[in-house]
Amino acid sequence: MPLRADGVSNSHLSPPVGLIVSHLPFGPTAYFTLCNVVMRHDIPDLGTMSEAKPHLITHGFSSRLGKRVSDILRYLFPVPKDDSHRVITFANQDDYISFRHHVYKKIDHRNVELTEVGPRFELKLYMIRLGMLEQEATADVEWRWHPYTNTCKRVFLSAE
């Protein structure tokens, strides 16, 4: 059975504040808080967005948990064709994952022009469950962020 993933955003006409990514059919389900959200229609001078499948860039996911989160996010997107000019970046810094969406155009052999097509936002992981979204009451928690139990600042998604 092929791996599928669906994202659910909990928003009602205002900028979204959370994102739940549940991989079908068996999980896992990742829960994120969203911050610094800039929707696509809020970015000035946007052109049309390509519908090609995007190339993915993941940066800063070096710990075991970071690789797990990188895989959860990576499997949301199909494999792109080589001629696709669309790029999606997930960059982790201090456990905040920056999402950026660009298209590029080759100027010459060495130069590329990037154009942001939006949206852009920051993700903060707060829980991973092993099951599906419907199994919330019975699924085991693989990882949970405990902000008030740690006495020192610790970075979870990168090994630095």
Side-chain angles (χ1 to χ4, degrees):
M1 184 171 285
L3 177 68
R4 288 186 36 211
D6 289 330
V8 179
S9 170
N10 49 357
S11 170
H12 304 286
L13 299 177
S14 61
V17 295
L19 179 72
I20 301 170
V21 178
S22 187
H23 284 272
L24 302 176
F26 302 113
T29 301
Y31 297 80
F32 297 94
T33 300
L34 293 174
C35 58
N36 302 328
V37 177
V38 178
M39 300 302 286
R40 181 169 152 65
H41 61 270
D42 294 332
I43 299 173
D45 301 328
L46 276 184
T48 58
M49 183 177 66
S50 169
E51 293 185 15
K53 297 170 183 162
H55 293 281
L56 296 179
I57 298 171
T58 56
H59 175 73
F61 296 94
S62 55
S63 71
R64 197 167 149 226
L65 177 64
K67 290 183 189 332
R68 176 79 160 145
V69 172
S70 174
D71 287 345
I72 289 171
L73 295 172
R74 193 170 41 127
Y75 290 132
L76 288 173
F77 299 94
V79 176
K81 294 183 179 177
D82 290 337
D83 62 345
S84 175
H85 291 281
R86 208 171 140 199
V87 178
I88 291 182
T89 305
F90 292 101
N92 173 43
Q93 183 173 4
D94 296 331
D95 291 343
Y96 282 91
I97 303 165
S98 298
F99 174 90
R100 300 293 183 266
H101 185 192
H102 295 90
V103 292
Y104 70 90
K105 181 170 56 173
K106 291 184 181 180
I107 307 265
D108 54 35
H109 293 297
R110 293 183 180 214
N111 296 321
V112 181
E113 179 181 294
L114 273 181
T115 305
E116 184 176 15
V117 293
R120 67 174 173 253
F121 50 85
E122 312 289 320
L123 294 163
K124 174 75 173 171
L125 178 71
Y126 66 89
M127 185 168 42
I128 298 176
R129 287 189 186 269
L130 292 177
M132 292 285 301
L133 190 59
E134 297 88 29
Q135 303 166 335
E136 193 169 17
T138 59
D140 291 335
V141 174
E142 179 178 343
W143 182 85
R144 181 183 312 224
W145 180 52
H146 296 283
Y148 302 109
T149 57
N150 296 329
T151 57
C152 65
K153 180 173 169 62
R154 183 170 170 213
V155 178
F156 293 100
L157 298 179
S158 65
E160 300 168 359

